[in-house]
Amino acid sequence: MMKQGRRQWVPLAQAVTDEEGDFRLASLFTTRFQVEVQANRSRALRKQGYPAVVYYPGVYDLASAVPLQLAHGQQVDLQFLIKREAVFKIQGTVAGQEPGENVNVRLRTRSGEDVFLMRATTHEDGAFEITGVPAGSYLLEARNRRGGGPPLFAELPVNVTDNMTGLRLTLRPLAPVPVRVQAESSQPSPEGQPDVAVVARSIRVQLHSLDSPFRDNQSSFETRDGRPVLEVRDLFPGTYSVEIDAWGQWYVQSARAGSVNLLRDPLVVPRGAGADPIELVLRDDGGSITGKVQAEKPERSVVLIVPDFAPMQPPTVLTAGQDGHFAAENLAPGNYRVFAFESLEQLEYSNPLVLRQYDFKAARTSLSAGGSADVTVGLIQVEE
């Protein structure tokens, strides 16, 4: 499904095949989806089994899968040819667990999807065994949550071509990533600078995995020991785009993690170490963009305002009025492209590469702090 201009894969429906391999999925509420088949472990033989995951039209990785696009009420008959193949056994130990503690161990595909029927639980000495594993590349993962603390996690890439023994996973806590907010007001106030705790409630930090469509995350706000805390919890190792939503009069002037400019570059969370704190600077002297969509029926249009200086940030999305006029406020200073689309339903507009093909129809403008700009933009049909 499309969510905030990003393609996201969420479970929609599932069915179990009968003895002839037939299945039926009905009452789907969307017309665009992926279909995959996972092997039933209970039917796997000791030395032979079936591929862990097969995506339509018969490929083994999500990147090569072909989505189905159906009209409302349409039915389709899918055929999967799945052959038995050699399967193997994975054995190893998990280090870092407490005596008598059981830790969940599982396999995921390299795209991060859970292979539901390839799981194990460690013994008291940390030993584990997963059987019936087809050849392929996986992520071997161990996870446990101890009390109210951060979860313990370990991950190891494995390429299975034969039985594997002696694997070792070392549990480490997934330390939360603090989000530190500094607010700068352009309006002098007798009370001084704005209350950081109040400003932090006007911020949401969302992290979208660039490695896996199954590992997004977002910040949460709470009060501990009488002080405000904004942080991202349970963040797995990997590479993420960091999107910051600011409400009220604020815009994001800068966002950094160590030396990384998060407005332009991704956040990398290394294995075995935590990420640098996310440092945000907000200001309240944003500019405004007004404009008009030129079209026969402008009220059907959706406007995107895209910041050229912050490619990791999502566009501002507006709906034009009956007369085609639109307005956006509290925008950061910098250069912008403005698009007007008939519909965003199937447009991955948060992907800069997708929007680039429409650049020749964009209106361009620039804002200074507290400034304003007015543009006129033509309507774009995605099918063009």
Side-chain angles (χ1 to χ4, degrees):
M1 64 180 296
M2 196 74 71
K3 184 177 180 182
Q4 296 179 328
R6 296 183 180 276
R7 295 200 184 280
Q8 295 185 345
W9 303 113
V10 296
L12 183 62
Q14 63 180 16
V16 179
T17 58
D18 62 18
E19 293 180 353
E20 301 297 325
D22 295 329
F23 64 91
R24 184 174 185 269
L25 297 170
S27 302
L28 303 174
F29 63 80
T30 181
T31 59
R32 183 180 175 88
F33 47 85
Q34 299 273 20
V35 179
E36 68 176 49
V37 176
Q38 288 203 22
N40 187 331
R41 185 174 181 177
S42 64
R43 297 184 180 182
L45 303 179
R46 183 175 297 273
K47 293 185 178 181
Q48 284 191 318
Y50 296 99
V53 184
V54 179
Y55 303 96
Y56 181 79
V59 296
Y60 299 110
D61 65 284
L62 184 59
S64 303
V66 177
L68 287 174
Q69 182 74 48
L70 302 182
H72 291 287
Q74 182 182 356
Q75 297 185 18
V76 65
D77 182 40
L78 304 180
Q79 300 293 325
F80 288 85
L81 179 59
I82 302 176
K83 298 180 179 180
R84 288 178 181 172
E85 60 184 53
V87 293
F88 306 100
K89 180 166 54 178
I90 293 177
Q91 294 176 309
T93 58
V94 175
Q97 71 178 64
E98 297 290 343
E101 187 177 46
N102 293 324
V103 176
N104 294 321
V105 181
R106 67 182 69 188
L107 284 176
R108 293 182 179 270
T109 64
R110 284 298 178 95
S111 61
E113 184 175 9
D114 198 355
V115 183
F116 293 102
L117 299 173
M118 292 187 187
R119 301 180 178 180
T121 302
T122 59
H123 302 292
E124 290 189 2
D125 60 356
F128 69 87
E129 177 181 286
I130 302 177
T131 59
V133 181
S137 297
Y138 303 94
L139 295 173
L140 180 62
E141 176 186 292
R143 193 187 306 185
N144 188 31
R145 185 178 290 276
R146 187 177 297 159
L152 303 177
F153 175 81
E155 185 180 71
L156 179 69
V158 293
N159 187 32
V160 179
T161 58
D162 203 341
N163 293 330
M164 302 182 72
T165 61
L167 299 176
R168 183 178 176 86
L169 295 167
T170 302
L171 292 171
R172 294 184 175 88
L174 289 175
V177 179
V179 179
R180 300 170 182 167
V181 182
Q182 176 184 344
E184 299 177 352
S185 177
S186 60
Q187 304 297 325
S189 170
E191 292 81 19
Q193 290 300 317
D195 187 342
V196 173
V198 174
V199 175
R201 293 181 182 273
S202 302
I203 290 291
R204 179 178 60 189
V205 179
Q206 299 184 83
L207 287 88
H208 299 283
S209 173
L210 301 180
D211 307 313
S212 167
F214 305 98
R215 280 191 171 173
D216 288 355
N217 206 325
Q218 74 175 40
S219 63
S220 59
F221 180 90
E222 65 179 61
T223 302
R224 294 186 200 150
D225 301 326
R227 61 186 181 86
V229 175
L230 184 65
E231 61 187 14
V232 181
R233 305 187 188 96
D234 302 355
L235 188 60
F236 297 100
T239 304
Y240 298 84
S241 65
V242 180
E243 297 180 359
I244 305 103
D245 296 317
W247 296 284
Q249 75 269 36
W250 305 105
Y251 69 85
V252 181
Q253 182 187 51
S254 68
R256 308 193 70 85
S259 61
V260 179
N261 179 358
L262 298 176
L263 299 181
R264 304 197 63 89
D265 299 308
L267 173 70
V268 177
V269 181
R271 287 188 174 90
D276 290 323
I278 296 174
E279 308 274 358
L280 305 179
V281 177
L282 309 182
R283 286 191 60 83
D284 62 357
D285 56 353
S288 62
I289 294 178
T290 58
K292 183 176 182 179
V293 179
Q294 287 186 326
E296 183 178 346
K297 296 181 178 179
E299 72 276 5
R300 298 174 56 188
S301 59
V302 183
V303 177
L304 298 181
I305 300 178
V306 182
D308 289 339
F309 54 89
M312 284 291 172
Q313 301 306 298
T316 298
V317 182
L318 305 168
T319 301
Q322 292 290 325
D323 57 358
H325 284 92
F326 60 89
E329 299 179 338
N330 301 321
L331 299 175
N335 296 326
Y336 289 85
R337 287 169 294 151
V338 183
F339 301 86
F341 289 96
E342 190 174 50
S343 172
L344 298 181
E345 184 177 354
Q346 296 299 332
L347 182 66
E348 196 178 0
Y349 60 83
S350 288
N351 185 340
L353 296 179
V354 171
L355 279 185
R356 189 173 297 170
Q357 62 186 303
Y358 302 104
D359 268 359
F360 70 102
K361 291 193 173 182
R364 288 173 166 78
T365 190
S366 182
L367 282 180
S368 59
S372 62
D374 189 73
V375 298
T376 301
V377 61
L379 188 62
I380 304 171
Q381 293 183 351
V382 176
E383 295 77 15
E384 293 181 1

